[in-house]
Amino acid sequence: METEKRSDLYEEWKRRAFLGPLPQGFLGVEERNAQQQQEAADQQAALALHQLQMQNMPGMHEPHVVGRLSITIVQAKLVKNYGMTRMDPYVRMRVGHSIYETHTCSNGAKNPHWNKVIHCYLPPGVTQIYVEIYDECSFVMDELIAWGHIDIPPQVLQKGETHEDWCMLSGKQGDNQEGMINLVFSYTVKTKCHPYMNAPSVMRVPSSTVFGVSQYAPVNVYTTPPAAAAIPVVPSSLPTAEIELKQISEMFPNVDKEVIKSVYDANHGKKDITINSLLQMCE
């Protein structure tokens, strides 16, 4: 009798397991559809990122490039230190559709120094760059301190001269009232036999707006240089550069040594051309 009950119970379980109605989504069709949509979105994002990297790869769009622009971000003099501690400023610069950053000047406060040289291809029609200075923060979003649209000096583009200037910055204090940034420009006409590597580009993702100016959270997108391209050596780091820089500094005692070093690097360590460039700047 007990065996019959167990047999009947087993048959009931069997009917429920194999013959009963299947629950909704048993085959996971909806889940797979959602997963397929997510995979398609990821593929589109990857494709867009790949296209951005290809646009920033040197030599990929030869007909749309005019020449190479070198910008040395030397230092800044700001009117106010925001916050309770000394600011840690860094510069974000846009040239055409490419964006570059300096390192952070720790405790730079109102007088940060970077001495950062940026090499980039200059697209046709671009005669202006956009500069932003941020205070790097640890637990909150980096604060935008100052900004400005800066014209590339005409003599740099037309004659290939090296030009150093202090450019006014806007900010919370008002238009052209937040301080100044020291930049050195030089320009070289592009040649196909001497390709140059671009500095790492940065995608900017809008996050919030302060004082009518959009802030951006940086997402670094580093372009991969060609295997055959060598990493350029900074001329001022060479052993013989120290002696030449000292000699040039003695010739121009009223010119800041960092500016001389920047001009020296922009002219690829050529002493005579550096002296001529400094003479033009002092006129």
Side-chain angles (χ1 to χ4, degrees), residues 11-246:
E11 291 295 332
E12 179 65 22
W13 286 346
K14 185 176 180 180
R15 284 195 298 271
R16 289 183 181 179
F18 294 96
L19 303 179
L22 297 176
Q24 185 177 3
F26 176 76
L27 297 178
V29 176
E30 294 180 356
E31 288 78 0
R32 281 198 291 269
N33 288 339
Q35 183 178 2
Q36 290 173 357
Q37 292 176 359
Q38 182 62 41
E39 290 177 353
D42 293 342
Q43 289 177 356
Q44 292 179 356
L47 180 60
L49 181 61
H50 177 72
Q51 291 176 347
L52 175 64
Q53 291 177 328
M54 290 300 100
Q55 289 174 0
N56 287 303
M57 286 287 287
M60 293 301 296
H61 298 277
E62 297 289 340
H64 303 289
V65 175
V66 174
R68 190 192 71 160
L69 180 67
S70 297
I71 305 173
T72 303
I73 306 172
V74 183
Q75 60 180 317
K77 294 186 182 298
L78 306 172
V79 299
K80 185 176 180 180
N81 183 87
Y82 295 98
M84 301 297 294
T85 59
R86 292 171 63 86
M87 296 187 299
D88 300 321
Y90 66 90
V91 177
R92 186 173 296 165
M93 176 180 292
R94 175 167 58 83
V95 183
H97 297 292
S98 298
I99 298 175
Y100 309 92
E101 282 189 1
T102 67
H103 61 278
T104 299
C105 181
S106 300
N107 296 322
K110 296 192 297 182
N111 298 293
H113 290 72
W114 300 283
N115 200 34
K116 171 71 174 180
V117 182
I118 292 174
H119 301 294
C120 56
Y121 283 125
L122 186 66
V126 175
T127 59
Q128 192 179 69
I129 63 174
Y130 181 62
V131 173
E132 295 174 326
I133 299 180
Y134 284 85
D135 177 20
E136 185 178 81
C137 303
S138 299
F139 303 105
V140 296
M141 182 174 295
D142 296 349
E143 182 180 2
L144 179 61
I145 305 169
W147 58 86
H149 288 88
I150 299 173
D151 293 326
I152 303 174
Q155 61 268 34
V156 173
L157 300 179
Q158 297 173 4
K159 301 179 182 180
E161 297 179 358
T162 300
H163 181 79
E164 182 260 347
D165 198 5
W166 286 89
C167 307
M168 304 300 296
L169 297 170
S170 302
K172 299 177 183 179
Q173 303 297 319
D175 292 341
N176 298 327
Q177 299 296 320
E178 198 65 46
M180 300 181 295
I181 186 169
N182 186 205
L183 302 175
V184 178
F185 296 89
S186 65
Y187 181 73
T188 305
V189 177
K190 182 186 70 65
T191 58
K192 292 185 178 181
C193 58
H194 292 90
Y196 295 96
M197 290 192 302
N198 276 346
S201 295
V202 178
M203 288 176 59
R204 300 196 299 174
V205 181
S207 55
S208 62
T209 303
V210 178
F211 296 96
V213 179
S214 297
Q215 294 196 85
Y216 296 84
V219 180
N220 292 332
V221 181
Y222 294 95
T223 58
T224 304
I231 299 176
V233 177
V234 180
S236 58
S237 65
L238 298 175
T240 57
E242 184 177 355
I243 299 176
E244 292 185 348
L245 287 172
K246 183 178 179 180

